[in-house]
Amino acid sequence: MSVPPQAALRQVALRPVALRQEAMRRFRSNPAAVVSIILIAGIVVLSIAGPWFTPYGDDTLDWLHVATRPGLPQAHWFGTDRLGRDLFVRTLEGTRVSLAVGLVASAVSLLVGISYGAVAGYLGGRIDHLMMRIIEIISGLPLIFFVIFITVTFGRNIYILFLSIGAVAWLTMARIVRGQTMSIRRQEYIEAAVACGATPARIILRHVLPNLVGVVVVYATLSVPQVILFESFLSFLGLGIQEPNVSLGTLVADGAGELEAAPWILLIPGAFLALLMLCLNICGDGLRDALDVKEN
Amino acid sequence: MSTALEVADLCVSFTQRRARIDAVREVSLSIAQGECVAIVGESGSGKTQLFMAAMGLLPRNASAEGSVLFQGVELLRANRAALNRVRGSKLAMIFQDPMSALTPHLKVGTQLAEVLVRHAGISWRDAWHAATRMLERVHIGEERRRMQQYPHELSGGLRQRVMIAMSLLCAPSLVIADEPTASLDVTVQAQIMELLRSMRSEFGMALALISHDLGLVGGFADHILVMYAGRIIESRPAGHLLNEPRHPYTAELIRCIPRVSGTLPSRMATLPGQPPRPQESPPGCAFAPRCPRAAPRCRTERPVLLTRGAGAAACHFPLDS
């Protein structure tokens, strides 16, 4: 920052800058983060609105054009797969499903992780010990085994997929929230709140959780790409989204089989997946830097 | 009812790595309605833990025995619901460091109004008005704007005024002030003490003033208790204690108050030595190793707190005998 010190001082003196505004300003001054958030928005809009602009549905079979190259003439902009399905529509559909899985599973893990971590961290002592041992046991289970177990027991279903990914992803969140809560509960204002007659539930909701927003937001943005990647990985193995539904993972799995004859079937969904991953991660890093008050 | 707080044989001990540390030992005291009692002692003398036990704010590894009666309610064995009915409304506390005792992400007004909504059960709107009026009464200035501000936008003195306002919101019968001026400038310190004085005459609440500064509380409190190594060693009306201390420790403390008048001494008066470590408990008087009047008896037999006249002192050889 090359603001002359006097100008900076005047700014501070004139108007105390709220943390949110300050964070926004810092996020905006990070070009990579801004570009990636624009790209994410573009992908989201495209994945929702894109299919309206082509005559094909995600399961329309075009027998005249099987495994055609991407190109404008046949109106198959991204080409077709070996069954003649339009790859443009399928890629966008897959992106939408992957994004939905990422958001919903992250939300589930957020909800469970925050409440679990905050309770463990605030109550402390034996309850905390017990709750943390449970987390260690769950995180000690092999992930894939766990997901296979759930899918086999409850059937292959997109909601079960949300649940099983969420069930694994909350562990880290809970650990992070617990650590933060433990450091906050030693602050004097928590003691003051107790002295004012506030109940533990109220203290957690009103005095502890709002302090965690920064950490939670950053971790959530970073967990969305992780979850998407995990979902794609499961779908690639055939454990996740099932045909005829698509996700980026199933598309990549399809394409991997046709790599020599029709590389675009792999490369196009692969590129979407990679771009989405990259943008979400850069965006999360940007948010972390913007919300980290101590750095400046 | 004439007593606001009645503490009897209170012991507070901590367990740390299986070792037992006694912070407060067999302390009894009573604070009358409307009275101001100062508790003076050096760091680690147990003066804060005494009231933390009363407020139910002891950390997990601490245990308290004895009895703390507040308006006929036993606080030590009260459950959380019963404690919460009293805490913040009838029994309020002002913390040492106003910088960290206000929740940083909530507006001052929100924090004040919330106390009223919780305890008085009035609407948010009424609570907000009442909180604004209370800020006016603690002379904060521009109280409407202050209500909308966050704690970090206020100076230390203003924040301590907010804390005082918060403690007075529900018209408490006892306010515990734990070194309310320790982290403030000396000039602000005087203003805050003056504010406490005027609030006391306005609200008529009893005040327990915890301090390490005998000079500060001397002209303020009605009654002064001096604590040393977890015990009360002298408990007398303020004027008597300051003019003719009985316990040698009190006398040494008074000697150490810096004076502005007269010729300046070449060095500040100090009291050599250290208080005993809390995990050890010597058989005799805890002050004996540092006491100028110590005799062999002091090292073997612990003096009990003997009441004589309007006060009590725990010393075998009190200064006025």
Side-chain angles (χ1 to χ4, degrees), chain B residues 13-35:
Chain B
S13 59
F14 293 85
T15 317
Q16 203 168 41
R17 290 189 214 100
R18 286 159 197 268
R20 186 185 145 103
I21 298 168
D22 293 303
V24 178
R25 306 167 197 227
E26 297 155 26
V27 165
S28 300
L29 63 94
S30 83
I31 301 177
Q33 209 68 259
E35 189 188 22

Side-chain angles (χ1 to χ4, degrees), chain A residues 123 188-189 195-196 206-207, chain B residues 60 88 100 103 105 110 114 119:
Chain A
L123 295 180
E188 208 169 53
Y189 58 84
C196 281
R206 197 98 169 105
H207 301 272
Chain B
R60 204 182 303 277
S100 58
T103 303
H105 61 265
T110 313
E114 226 161 58
H119 287 295

Side-chain angles (χ1 to χ4, degrees), chain A residues 61-66 68:
Chain A
L61 307 180
D62 183 354
W63 293 112
L64 297 175
H65 302 97
V66 172
T68 42

Side-chain angles (χ1 to χ4, degrees), chain A residues 208-237:
Chain A
V208 176
L209 286 188
N211 278 308
L212 300 176
V213 166
V215 191
V216 167
V217 165
V218 169
Y219 183 73
T221 26
L222 292 175
S223 89
V224 172
Q226 275 173 18
V227 168
I228 291 179
L229 198 63
F230 188 54
E231 178 275 325
S232 300
F233 165 62
L234 290 179
S235 300
F236 186 85
L237 293 181

Side-chain angles (χ1 to χ4, degrees), chain B residues 52-70:
Chain B
M52 287 293 177
M55 290 291 278
L57 290 175
L58 287 177
R60 204 182 303 277
N61 62 343
S63 68
E65 288 155 44
S67 135
V68 178
L69 276 178
F70 175 73

Side-chain angles (χ1 to χ4, degrees), chain B residues 169 171 245 263:
Chain B
L169 275 175
T263 51

Side-chain angles (χ1 to χ4, degrees), chain B residues 139-313:
Chain B
H139 310 296
I140 205 164
E142 300 180 79
E143 50 283 336
R144 276 171 208 290
R145 191 161 71 89
R146 301 289 179 224
M147 290 286 283
Q148 297 288 352
Q149 283 180 317
Y150 288 93
H152 72 270
E153 297 175 64
L154 304 181
S155 69
L158 288 184
R159 274 186 248 184
Q160 197 57 293
R161 279 174 197 268
V162 171
M163 287 301 293
I164 292 173
M166 189 183 283
S167 71
L168 295 175
L169 275 175
C170 296
S173 48
L174 173 65
V175 172
I176 298 167
D178 184 3
E179 307 212 19
T181 59
S183 56
L184 302 176
D185 277 355
V186 182
T187 45
V188 183
Q189 187 172 339
Q191 292 168 15
I192 293 293
M193 291 310 283
E194 191 45 50
L195 175 68
L196 278 175
R197 189 195 302 273
S198 67
M199 288 298 111
R200 218 161 73 73
S201 61
E202 198 172 323
F203 289 85
M205 79 278 186
L207 182 67
L209 186 62
I210 304 172
S211 178
H212 58 255
D213 189 346
L214 197 54
L216 181 76
V217 302
F220 190 86
D222 305 321
H223 198 94
I224 298 180
L225 303 174
V226 181
M227 283 187 78
Y228 189 80
R231 290 177 200 279
I232 292 179
I233 55 151
E234 184 159 1
S235 157
R236 293 172 67 207
H240 296 211
L241 182 122
L242 288 175
N243 292 327
E244 41 200 39
R246 282 186 196 157
H247 199 286
Y249 177 61
T250 318
E252 289 295 313
L253 281 186
I254 294 170
R255 191 173 65 83
C256 292
I257 300 173
R259 302 199 190 273
V260 202
S261 57
T263 51
L264 281 173
S266 56
R267 295 189 59 147
M268 297 272 278
T270 52
L271 177 55
Q274 292 282 323
R277 301 198 309 161
Q279 52 268 55
E280 53 200 43
S281 148
C285 173
F287 186 58
R290 302 167 81 183
C291 183
R293 293 165 68 90
R297 184 184 169 201
C298 298
R299 295 180 214 283
T300 52
E301 186 189 334
R302 190 171 49 235
V304 291
L305 196 62
L306 269 184
T307 309
R308 190 148 51 82

Side-chain angles (χ1 to χ4, degrees), chain A residues 210-285:
Chain A
N211 278 308
L212 300 176
V213 166
V215 191
V216 167
V217 165
V218 169
Y219 183 73
T221 26
L222 292 175
S223 89
V224 172
Q226 275 173 18
V227 168
I228 291 179
L229 198 63
F230 188 54
E231 178 275 325
S232 300
F233 165 62
L234 290 179
S235 300
F236 186 85
L237 293 181
L239 291 168
I241 305 286
Q242 298 297 314
E243 289 278 1
N245 292 324
V246 284
S247 81
L248 290 175
T250 59
L251 289 173
V252 169
D254 270 1
E258 314 283 336
L259 187 55
E260 282 169 28
W264 61 89
I265 302 180
L266 171 69
L267 291 181
I268 289 172
F272 263 77
L273 185 60
L275 189 65
L276 205 55
M277 283 306 93
L278 190 67
C279 288
L280 282 169
N281 276 309
I282 292 175
C283 193
D285 282 347

